[in-house]
Amino acid sequence: EDQVTQSPEALRLQEGESSSLNCSYTVSGLRGLFWYRQDPGKGPEFLFTLYSAGEEKEKERLKATLTKKESFLHITAPKPEDSATYLCAVRASGSARQLTFGSGTQLTVLP
Amino acid sequence: EAGVAQSPRYKIIEKRQSVAFWCNPISGHATLYWYQQILGQGPKLLIQFQNNGVVDDSQLPKDRFSAERLKGVDSTLKIQPAKLEDSAVYLCASSPGGIAEAFFGQGTRLTVV
């Protein structure tokens, strides 16, 4: 069974204090790892897709990296508007190619 | 490009009543997902369609939940009868298919009292 574990559950940072969120996964044949941002009362917003170990993607203050067992979302010099829940999801091989989510990391950036 | 549309945004019903949610995916997207998200948790897949066929409904409580996708486009998710534990946000997402990313709608927040 595919499993996705995110840590920490919650993270509070001061504005400008860089940190990383972790996503550990167990999946039979990874066909993509996805990062989403979710604001309260809204649906998840797509951020990145990573397909193979060693791959990196960047967008503004966010950088996602992938190894064979985990992914990191690095946040550099965060701002209060980066406060949100960050969700990680994996897609496995197989006919259905389900998208399985972790429980998320709730990030709060204080001014 | 228009995103995934869902309605209603909010619904409050009494237990044992029935409720239906509607989803219109992004035009041309072959894959459609319904997820249930309980407060403080990640989305949990209920059912996945490829065009108008079901490819995964292993986590759908089939004694009370049903879903269909009409002509491979719009989809409805129904709960009958509802239980208190069905209180959650129901998210619809669509994807072009294959290994591409999925895009989500705003969700429907269901409260069962």
Side-chain angles (χ1 to χ4, degrees):
Chain A
E1 182 180 323
D2 304 332
Q3 287 194 328
V4 181
T5 303
Q6 292 190 244
S7 62
E9 291 185 6
L11 181 63
R12 292 167 66 92
L13 300 173
Q14 290 295 133
E15 184 171 3
E17 179 186 2
S18 301
S19 189
S20 297
L21 313 182
N22 178 261
C23 171
S24 298
Y25 62 90
T26 303
V27 65
S28 55
L30 182 70
R31 289 296 178 265
L33 184 140
F34 306 86
W35 282 98
Y36 288 83
R37 169 191 171 129
Q38 187 172 27
D39 293 298
K42 296 191 175 182
E45 174 190 350
F46 170 72
L47 293 174
F48 303 110
T49 306
L50 302 167
Y51 289 109
S52 57
E55 190 174 356
E56 299 182 353
K57 293 274 180 74
E58 285 189 69
K59 179 180 180 180
E60 296 180 356
R61 295 176 292 281
L62 300 177
K63 179 180 177 180
T65 62
L66 180 65
T67 72
K68 290 187 177 180
K69 294 184 178 181
E70 58 192 350
S71 176
F72 292 93
L73 184 65
H74 307 277
I75 303 176
T76 302
K79 298 182 178 182
E81 53 262 42
D82 294 323
S83 296
T85 295
Y86 290 85
L87 295 164
C88 170
V90 297
R91 175 172 277 126
S93 61
S95 59
R97 296 181 176 174
Q98 298 94 333
L99 200 58
T100 302
F101 280 84
S103 296
T105 293
Q106 184 175 3
L107 174 67
T108 303
V109 182
L110 304 171
Chain B
E1 179 180 89
V4 177
Q6 289 188 247
S7 67
R9 285 297 314 276
Y10 307 93
K11 191 74 177 180
I12 300 174
I13 62 172
E14 295 182 350
K15 59 183 179 183
R16 292 187 291 273
Q17 285 188 325
S18 63
V19 64
F21 313 128
W22 173 82
C23 173
N24 180 237
I26 294 173
S27 177
H29 279 195
T31 305
L32 186 146
Y33 310 84
W34 282 103
Y35 283 88
Q36 179 192 59
Q37 187 174 28
I38 294 172
L39 187 64
Q41 299 182 17
K44 170 190 163 186
L45 181 67
L46 292 175
I47 190 167
Q48 177 179 340
F49 293 93
Q50 183 72 18
N51 296 308
N52 60 351
V54 176
V55 295
D56 184 8
D57 63 357
S58 57
Q59 298 189 83
L60 186 74
K62 298 181 185 64
D63 58 334
R64 299 185 299 106
F65 286 65
S66 64
E68 62 179 359
R69 189 176 185 191
L70 305 173
K71 299 181 180 178
V73 183
D74 291 7
S75 179
T76 56
L77 176 70
K78 297 179 181 178
I79 307 175
Q80 181 179 13
K83 293 185 175 181
L84 295 177
E85 57 260 38
D86 297 331
S87 294
V89 174
Y90 291 84
L91 295 164
C92 178
S94 70
S95 167
I99 58 174
E101 58 270 12
F103 297 91
F104 284 80
Q106 295 277 52
T108 296
R109 180 175 297 278
L110 174 67
T111 302
V112 183
V113 298

